[in-house]
Amino acid sequence: MLETRNLLGIKELSPEEIYSILDTAAGFKDVLRRDIKKVPPLRGKTVANLFFEPSTRTRTSFELAAKRLSADVINFSAPTSSVLKGETLKDTVLTIQALGADIVVVRHSSAGVPHFLSRIQDMSVINAGDGANEHPTQALLDLFTIQSNKKKIKGLTVVIVGDIIHSRVARSNIYALTKLGAKVRIICPPTLMPVEIDKLGIEVHDSMEKGLKNADVVMMLRLQLERQSKGFFPSLEEYYNLYGLTSPRLKLAKNDAIVLHPGPMNRGVEIESEVADGPQSLILEQVTNGLAVRMAVLYLLSGVKK
Amino acid sequence: MSILVTNGRVIDPSQGLDDNLDILIERTKIKELFPRGKGPKADRTIDAKGCIVIPGLVDMHTHLREPGFEYKETIATGTMAAVRGGFTTVCCMPNTNPVNDTVAVTEFIIEKATKEGSCTVLPIGAVTKGSKSEELTELDMLQKSGCVAFSDDGLPVSNSLIMRRALEYSKIFGIPVISHCEDPALAHGGSMNEGFISTTVGLKGIPNAAEDIMVARDIMLSELTGGQLHIAHVSTEGAVRLIREAKTRGINVTAETCPHYFSITDDSIKGYNTNFKVNPPIRTSGDMSAIKEGLKDGTLDVIATDHAPHHLDDKDREFDTAAFGISGLETAFALGLLLVDQKVLSLKQLIRKMTVTPSKILNINKGTLTPESDADIAIINLKKKYTVDSSNFLSKGKNSPFDKWELKGTIEKTISMGKVFDWS
């Protein structure tokens, strides 16, 4: 069971709470295999998707998860809303609360927005990505995918490659994996390494050749072109040459290593198509697991009394 | 109208005084000091029993927001907050709207302060027109109309050539150029200190180097020109080191820090509370130690507030877009007293850094209880405890990270140019 009414980040979750979500997700994965993929726990409840940043994957996933649980869903997308007329974040969420929503799923380009929202209104808040801070449901579905395939998390060597400094996926995964006892390594150019990140108890590498050795899991991050300012690396070609996951490089990891990617992929930039479409890739399974995990989160949060 | 302040412990570092004395005020001036009980009868007697009686505090770095940002603060409310905090002189920075880069704006501020202010307001004029770092303002005209220093505060003078010229030209008047040290490109987009905490909360950080680079630059320009440089709101260990070294070589530089830099560190940002968002940002415990060391050994001459009031609308929002600034006039002295508790400063040293030292740097006749000086006095009960309640600040700005803090040292009364404000 969850202690809190909100899912603000992995930082705020205990290992027990994480396992609780993963166990619940396993149950919902079964539901998703049935003919009639619908269960009633959230009937009569309203889930509001409050997305200030573009998203196809996460938003569709949350929308479908809510519907599978029989909730009503409202979708708010900033570019087609009164935000364009200058309405503040605060007023937007208070309006949604006034419309009777019970749970708000929020994605925003500013870190700390879910925390802010949890202070100014009473709906449950689920963080679907806040700036470079966290994307907890992504980490949870990554954990679920790893656990389904490797039967455990503890003791595994998990390598995260890419634009770490701007990545909320990297941060959430680092917190989640270290909380559950995995050995975490990151690989990226020094310009994309967050300051003092080694203090989180992880290994830091700037070389694929060194960092990939004997990895159990290779998690590739999308090179976030929209978050870049200039000067992090000279060109995409050079980035691919140094940090792209190619088939030869994948061979440096263990033979049964799995490849993950949160999507969407930049084929030929961070990952070679042969790897993305190859037998070790679980990229599409991640998407299916994402639905189950988000159903689990919605279900567990809605059960927590105010 | 005469006032006798009696029964208090008078501490005036400018005269080396720490004694039980009576102070006689006549109209707006301090007339004479007497041994306790020996003062003559006066129209009004103020009993300062159990309190220290010190020169009214001098804040050389305040934002009064008027003209242009009256919704955040006005000269009336800002000076009221000042006297509430024991300050009787505030120097207001020019990042108003319009920027105080002309005689017209300076005269406006002085006139408003005379009509509606509760304490002495001394404007600081902009170094460059519009604070754009392109053309010098008419510094002579500004100082003749009442500006006591020059600064583009809020912004750095990013063009080094212009900063050189400003330091050279200001030598004519013998008043300081106050520098807001920030390399714009390195700091760009940052909303807190760059460090382990910014890494874990996913906020873009402002590295220490952004401040240190400009401190180094300005020290070198002061060395080159001989101009009088004052470094505003020092927050980093590196800046303290650079200033210390510069002083050993006799460079004409002074420096200030603010209470938040010696009271809180960046791990208080974990909850994304925008009341902790300030520029320069709150840094690490290592920086805080260096700031305290700098205060102790005299590298940092002054404690100023950088009082930066904001309306709730500008703070009650996502951290990235919230305004930078802390409303500091009403908590400054009590936070300074914590340094005395921690044996970083003696009580006299604390008072010195908030009275006579800023006055000397600005070459103004304030921060002293010498007879014939202005009747600016703060009467403070060092032992009385209280809980900070920012919702009750007299400033329009309630943005304080010290809300609910348990502090000691209440301002019982403030006398500004002979006018008594009774807070007890």
Side-chain angles (χ1 to χ4, degrees):
Chain A
M1 231 14 210
L2 287 187
E3 297 295 306
T4 167
R5 311 178 43 246
N6 303 310
L7 179 59
L8 301 179
I10 303 290
K11 281 197 286 290
E12 288 86 352
L13 290 178
S14 68
E16 292 72 41
E17 285 173 305
I18 295 176
Y19 280 122
S20 171
I21 295 171
L22 298 180
D23 290 340
T24 312
F28 283 119
K29 195 158 179 191
D30 284 334
V31 168
L32 295 173
R33 291 196 184 101
R34 298 181 201 156
D35 253 359
I36 308 237
K37 301 172 175 45
K38 205 136 173 131
V39 284
L42 258 62
R43 198 165 64 166
K45 293 275 204 301
T46 305
V47 175
N49 280 325
L50 195 57
F51 277 66
F52 290 84
E53 272 189 328
S55 168
T56 310
R57 206 170 299 262
T58 306
R59 199 173 90 176
T60 322
S61 192
F62 267 112
E63 182 173 348
L64 207 45
K67 285 178 175 166
R68 295 266 185 263
L69 292 167
S70 303
D72 294 320
V73 178
I74 43 181
N75 281 311
F76 167 94
S77 164
T80 52
S81 76
S82 291
V83 164
L84 288 183
K85 300 182 200 169
E87 186 161 30
T88 62
L89 170 63
K90 184 175 175 182
D91 285 330
T92 303
V93 77
L94 291 178
T95 304
I96 292 190
Q97 181 177 230
L99 289 171
D102 301 285
I103 299 176
V104 61
V105 177
V106 61
R107 168 174 283 193
H108 197 285
S109 57
S110 283
V113 160
H115 307 69
F116 174 59
L117 295 186
S118 72
R119 284 195 288 266
I120 60 172
Q121 51 76 49
D122 294 321
M123 301 178 285
S124 285
V125 178
I126 297 179
N127 182 1
D130 65 325
N133 179 38
E134 289 221 46
H135 189 358
T137 56
Q138 180 68 45
L140 290 166
L141 74 90
D142 290 337
L143 283 179
F144 187 86
T145 308
I146 296 170
Q147 195 181 49
S148 303
N149 280 273
K150 299 287 182 186
K151 306 293 174 243
K152 62 167 185 175
I153 306 282
K154 192 169 173 165
L156 290 182
T157 298
V158 181
V159 181
I160 307 175
V161 184
D163 184 357
I164 310 284
I165 199 172
H166 297 106
S167 173
R168 51 190 173 220
V169 172
R171 282 177 179 79
S172 284
N173 267 297
I174 289 170
Y175 303 138
L177 291 162
T178 51
K179 265 185 210 230
L180 300 189
K183 282 202 295 253
V184 180
R185 289 186 205 148
I186 57 167
I187 307 177
C188 61
T191 47
L192 293 177
M193 276 176 204
V195 166
E196 297 185 32
I197 191 143
D198 55 308
K199 287 202 174 120
L200 290 174
I202 65 176
E203 272 177 46
V204 177
H205 294 267
D206 61 16
S207 146
M208 288 290 260
E209 282 63 34
K210 292 211 184 85
L212 284 175
K213 285 213 185 101
N214 296 319
D216 294 295
V217 180
V218 182
M219 190 183 294
M220 299 307 295
L221 301 174
R222 182 174 70 91
L223 196 61
Q224 294 170 330
L225 305 169
E226 83 268 11
R227 289 201 227 283
Q228 311 288 32
S229 329
K230 287 187 282 243
F232 290 101
F233 49 84
S235 69
L236 292 181
E237 189 180 335
E238 185 146 312
Y239 182 86
Y240 182 71
N241 290 343
L242 283 169
Y243 299 102
L245 184 63
T246 58
S247 301
R249 281 192 174 135
L250 183 55
K251 290 197 170 66
L252 294 167
K254 290 202 177 121
N255 289 336
D256 61 348
I258 55 177
V259 175
L260 302 180
H261 193 304
M265 293 184 282
N266 289 322
R267 290 168 180 269
V269 176
E270 70 261 5
I271 188 168
E272 196 184 50
S273 280
E274 202 181 306
V275 174
D277 302 326
Q280 289 167 272
S281 160
L282 297 180
I283 293 173
L284 290 172
E285 191 180 314
Q286 282 175 279
V287 177
T288 313
N289 291 339
L291 192 45
V293 163
R294 286 169 180 133
M295 285 175 76
V297 168
L298 285 168
Y299 170 76
L300 289 169
L301 278 186
S302 66
V304 177
K305 297 285 173 258
K306 217 200 297 191
Chain B
M1 159 82 168
S2 61
I3 305 172
L4 185 74
V5 180
T6 183
N7 263 337
R9 173 186 167 198
V10 172
I11 306 179
D12 181 4
S14 75
Q15 300 180 78
L17 282 178
D18 182 354
D19 215 341
N20 297 325
L21 299 170
D22 288 355
I23 303 179
L24 177 66
I25 296 167
E26 244 158 52
R27 287 183 47 246
T28 66
K29 296 283 186 193
I30 293 179
K31 189 80 187 352
E32 205 178 330
L33 276 58
F34 301 90
R36 175 179 289 181
K38 299 281 188 270
K41 260 185 130 297
D43 297 324
R44 178 175 175 177
T45 304
I46 291 179
D47 186 348
K49 182 159 176 213
C51 293
I52 56 169
V53 178
I54 66 173
L57 304 174
V58 175
D59 187 12
M60 62 185 292
H61 193 142
T62 304
H63 295 272
L64 293 180
R65 305 295 188 209
E66 189 172 4
F69 300 109
E70 289 84 354
Y71 75 102
K72 293 179 196 267
E73 188 89 286
T74 61
I75 288 170
T77 59
T79 53
M80 196 49 113
V83 291
R84 186 66 187 88
F87 290 88
T88 52
T89 303
V90 296
C91 304
C92 55
M93 283 296 181
N95 59 337
T96 45
N97 186 19
V99 168
N100 182 10
D101 60 3
T102 57
V103 167
V105 180
T106 299
E107 287 182 344
F108 169 84
I109 292 172
I110 290 176
E111 195 183 319
K112 263 285 178 154
T114 310
K115 272 208 302 253
E116 298 173 12
S118 300
C119 69
T120 303
V121 175
L122 301 172
I124 294 173
V127 177
T128 63
K129 290 182 185 162
S131 289
K132 291 204 182 117
S133 291
E134 287 164 7
E135 293 177 69
L136 290 182
T137 53
E138 289 163 311
L139 290 98
D140 179 47
M141 292 192 207
L142 284 174
Q143 66 90 23
K144 283 203 167 80
S145 64
C147 287
V148 295
F150 306 114
S151 181
D152 277 352
D153 183 65
L155 295 167
V157 178
S158 49
N159 184 324
S160 303
L161 175 60
I162 296 292
M163 185 60 175
R164 172 194 181 155
R165 299 277 182 250
L167 283 165
E168 281 172 327
Y169 195 77
S170 65
K171 290 199 302 188
I172 300 173
F173 323 109
I175 63 180
V177 176
I178 301 178
S179 184
H180 166 111
C181 293
E182 178 186 349
D183 181 304
L186 283 179
H188 179 70
S191 57
M192 67 172 287
N193 179 50
E194 182 183 284
F196 179 63
I197 304 293
S198 69
T199 287
T200 59
V201 300
L203 286 169
K204 184 154 200 276
I206 299 170
N208 284 25
E211 180 168 327
D212 301 347
I213 280 178
M214 293 302 247
V215 170
R217 180 199 80 161
D218 290 344
I219 286 173
M220 287 171 195
L221 291 175
S222 169
E223 185 171 10
L224 176 64
T225 60
Q228 185 184 349
L229 172 68
H230 178 82
I231 311 272
H233 44 49
V234 171
S235 75
T236 68
E237 174 221 355
V240 174
R241 226 179 325 119
L242 288 162
I243 295 164
R244 181 180 289 127
E245 197 270 338
K247 284 184 171 184
T248 62
R249 288 187 296 119
I251 291 169
N252 192 358
V253 60
T254 53
E256 79 198 25
T257 189
C258 309
H260 30 281
Y261 303 120
F262 56 74
S263 308
I264 42 184
T265 57
D266 60 354
D267 53 299
S268 34
I269 307 264
K270 282 189 198 144
Y272 302 96
N273 182 339
T274 57
N275 288 322
F276 290 83
K277 184 175 179 180
V278 64
N279 192 21
I282 298 164
R283 307 249 189 215
T284 64
S285 53
D287 295 299
M288 185 157 90
S289 297
I291 297 284
K292 289 184 185 179
E293 196 51 47
L295 283 166
K296 193 173 183 152
D297 72 9
T299 302
L300 300 173
D301 308 84
V302 167
I303 293 172
T305 67
D306 194 5
H307 174 75
H310 286 292
H311 192 280
L312 188 65
D313 289 346
D314 297 328
K315 280 287 196 178
D316 196 22
R317 51 197 304 152
E318 53 269 42
F319 201 91
D320 274 339
T321 63
F324 288 94
I326 289 174
S327 175
L329 281 167
E330 293 165 83
T331 48
F333 190 76
L335 291 168
L337 282 178
L338 292 178
L339 292 176
V340 177
D341 281 350
Q342 294 162 18
K343 305 214 187 315
V344 172
L345 294 175
S346 69
L347 179 59
K348 274 198 249 315
Q349 285 173 318
L350 172 69
I351 296 169
R352 177 181 288 276
K353 286 186 196 289
M354 297 178 80
T355 54
V356 58
T357 309
S359 306
K360 284 215 157 66
I361 290 171
L362 296 169
N363 199 17
I364 56 178
N365 185 18
K366 291 284 192 182
T368 177
L369 299 173
T370 311
E372 296 316 309
S373 51
D374 293 327
D376 288 340
I377 294 173
I379 299 170
I380 302 173
N381 184 330
L382 294 177
K383 297 208 168 43
K384 210 196 255 182
K385 295 192 184 144
Y386 71 104
T387 307
V388 177
D389 180 3
S390 54
S391 67
N392 271 334
F393 278 179
L394 294 183
S395 166
K396 276 193 189 182
K398 316 298 185 199
N399 46 309
S400 169
F402 306 109
D403 191 36
K404 300 197 179 42
W405 276 44
E406 306 271 320
L407 292 176
K408 257 183 346 191
T410 53
I411 315 289
E412 295 294 314
K413 292 179 179 57
T414 311
I415 303 175
S416 173
M417 301 290 277
K419 180 169 177 200
V420 180
F421 295 87
D422 193 336
W423 313 112
S424 50

